Amino acid sequence: MSKPLISVKNLKKYFNVGWRKTLKAVDGINFDIYPGETFGLVGESGCGKSTAGRTIIGLYEPTDGTTTFNGKNIYDLSRNEMQKIRKDIQMIFQDPYTSLNPRIPVQDIVAEPLDIHNIYSNPNQRRKRVIELLNLVGLGEEHTNRFPHEFSGGQRQRIGIARALALNPKFIICDEPISALDVSIQAQVINLLKNLQKGMGLTYLFISHDLSMVRYISERIGVMYSGHIVELADSEDLYADPIHPYTQALLSAIPIPDPKKQRDRYRIILKGDILSPINPKESCRFESRCPYVLDICGRKEPGFKKVKNNHFVACHRANEIIDGTLNQSRNPY
């Protein structure tokens, strides 16, 4: 396998939320993303996945850890060096209604990265490049002088994608790019991203809580829970054989478009309270909701270990789950 384009090591992002209170939004995550790959990051709302994306790109200053891009830790770079790296790392934001400036036309929105990096001094060349970008995402020259309020949600997200592509980046963070869109539009945007990836050799970090879409677009997937990555595996392996109890519960919630199969399937309902990410104790974050919890789960945080080929899990009972010898030793409910 080639060297990773992005390597995230022990990344942490904490927020001070009061007197001696620290919210550990991202608490020591690790993963690599390889050139041309789509790495999916999934989890429930509030698990820290969007914060992780914003910290990786540098919108948030990390509390600890490193993000290496092409062998360089981007947090150690000078301002000028970071400016150069910015050309290669871009972001597509979650909400197309708030990520576009409502006061300027589409031409200037898409050209903003070009202007910041002084790519074109000739206005005709600048306009030509904007039209090329709009054509790439399914829009045209007639859209250049319109304002964001004149577009639908799907069209606005296409404008955001065009802006992210302006500098020919190598790596794009897609922060829940379809969650604010109608279901009928979501597949169009996902297929657009896949086609752009194939044509331009892009690498994606795809953040979402839509498990079906993540499976469709991603080669590998990390499952995030309360600031930690609890499982990481190849996409098909993760969906066919989930190991962590949280992943099993998460995947059991995916609806099946067959009424009979949907009625007969086993749905895992999680009980218990979600542990607060503010000043958490050194334990498994899933302890309060896990049906397989042991005493050690409340005393010691499980290590993130390799259990199969390209399959990593943070669970004290992972081997028992794999062997099928697991019993509910202590029910926390």
Side-chain angles (χ1 to χ4, degrees):
M1 187 177 286
S2 60
K3 292 183 179 179
L5 180 68
I6 291 283
S7 185
V8 177
K9 301 297 182 188
N10 195 38
L11 187 65
K12 298 179 181 180
K13 178 56 186 175
Y14 298 167
F15 297 94
N16 293 323
V17 293
W19 174 248
R20 293 186 177 179
K21 291 183 178 180
T22 302
L23 190 154
K24 297 186 176 182
V26 179
D27 197 14
I29 62 173
N30 298 272
F31 58 84
D32 295 329
I33 307 176
Y34 294 88
E37 178 186 36
T38 298
F39 182 87
L41 193 59
V42 302
E44 60 194 49
S45 295
C47 70
K49 54 189 186 295
S50 291
T51 301
R54 289 167 179 260
T55 306
I56 288 168
I57 203 173
L59 294 180
Y60 293 153
E61 184 177 346
T63 303
D64 196 9
T66 63
T67 294
T68 303
F69 176 78
N70 265 345
K72 295 181 179 179
N73 180 11
I74 64 174
Y75 306 136
D76 289 340
L77 300 178
S78 66
R79 186 170 182 176
N80 289 337
E81 290 173 322
M82 191 62 191
Q83 185 83 345
K84 295 177 182 178
I85 291 288
R86 286 282 186 210
K87 294 182 181 180
D88 291 325
I89 304 176
Q90 294 292 314
M91 191 166 191
I92 300 169
F93 294 92
Q94 177 177 355
D95 189 355
Y97 294 92
T98 59
S99 61
L100 304 181
N101 190 332
R103 295 179 177 84
I104 62 176
V106 165
Q107 177 173 258
D108 293 333
I109 290 173
V110 175
E112 185 175 11
L114 303 174
D115 297 338
I116 290 172
H117 291 272
N118 299 314
I119 303 299
Y120 296 111
S121 56
N122 186 313
N124 291 328
Q125 291 179 335
R126 176 183 183 268
R127 179 175 173 82
K128 182 179 178 181
R129 176 58 176 160
V130 169
I131 294 170
E132 287 176 359
L133 291 165
L134 291 176
N135 288 336
L136 267 178
V137 299
L139 299 175
E141 183 176 0
E142 67 275 14
H143 297 110
T144 54
N145 295 319
R146 297 184 187 177
F147 289 82
H149 72 271
E150 300 178 70
F151 295 89
S152 67
Q155 288 175 319
R156 291 185 191 205
Q157 196 59 290
R158 289 172 185 265
I159 294 166
I161 294 171
R163 178 177 60 185
L165 295 173
L167 298 171
N168 291 317
K170 296 178 182 178
F171 176 60
I172 297 179
I173 296 177
C174 306
D175 183 15
E176 303 203 42
I178 60 172
S179 64
L181 305 180
D182 292 340
V183 174
S184 59
I185 305 299
Q186 290 179 358
Q188 296 178 20
V189 174
I190 290 296
N191 287 329
L192 171 62
L193 290 171
K194 286 177 71 72
N195 291 335
L196 290 170
Q197 182 179 41
K198 186 182 296 184
M200 302 176 68
L202 297 170
T203 303
Y204 293 144
L205 170 60
F206 190 87
I207 300 168
S208 181
H209 59 259
D210 188 325
L211 299 167
S212 299
M213 284 298 184
V214 170
R215 181 179 188 178
Y216 175 66
I217 197 173
S218 304
E219 283 81 37
R220 290 186 304 129
I221 296 173
V223 180
M224 200 163 177
Y225 183 82
S226 191
H228 291 173
I229 291 182
V230 296
E231 189 161 1
L232 192 159
D234 295 338
S235 176
E236 292 306 314
D237 186 24
L238 184 80
Y239 280 77
D241 187 22
I243 295 173
H244 196 280
Y246 175 67
T247 309
Q248 293 176 351
L250 203 61
L251 298 185
S252 78
I254 301 175
I256 299 174
D258 183 320
K260 186 177 185 305
K261 290 183 179 179
Q262 181 67 20
R263 280 195 305 269
D264 297 340
R265 73 185 302 202
Y266 178 65
R267 172 78 168 87
I268 301 173
I269 307 295
L270 293 176
K271 301 178 182 179
D273 297 324
I274 300 175
L275 294 178
S276 173
I278 298 176
N279 296 343
K281 62 179 181 178
E282 291 296 322
S283 67
C284 174
R285 298 283 175 88
F286 192 59
E287 170 213 4
S288 62
R289 305 172 76 189
C290 182
Y292 308 124
V293 65
L294 297 173
D295 289 337
I296 191 175
C297 302
R299 300 194 311 266
K300 183 180 178 183
E301 182 182 316
F304 193 62
K305 59 185 179 182
K306 184 175 181 180
V307 293
K308 294 194 298 181
N309 187 36
N310 293 327
H311 202 139
F312 300 81
V313 180
C315 179
H316 289 298
R317 310 195 72 181
N319 292 331
E320 295 174 78
I321 294 173
I322 294 170
D323 297 339
T325 59
L326 184 64
N327 293 313
Q328 292 191 14
S329 298
R330 177 169 67 84
N331 194 311
Y333 317 135

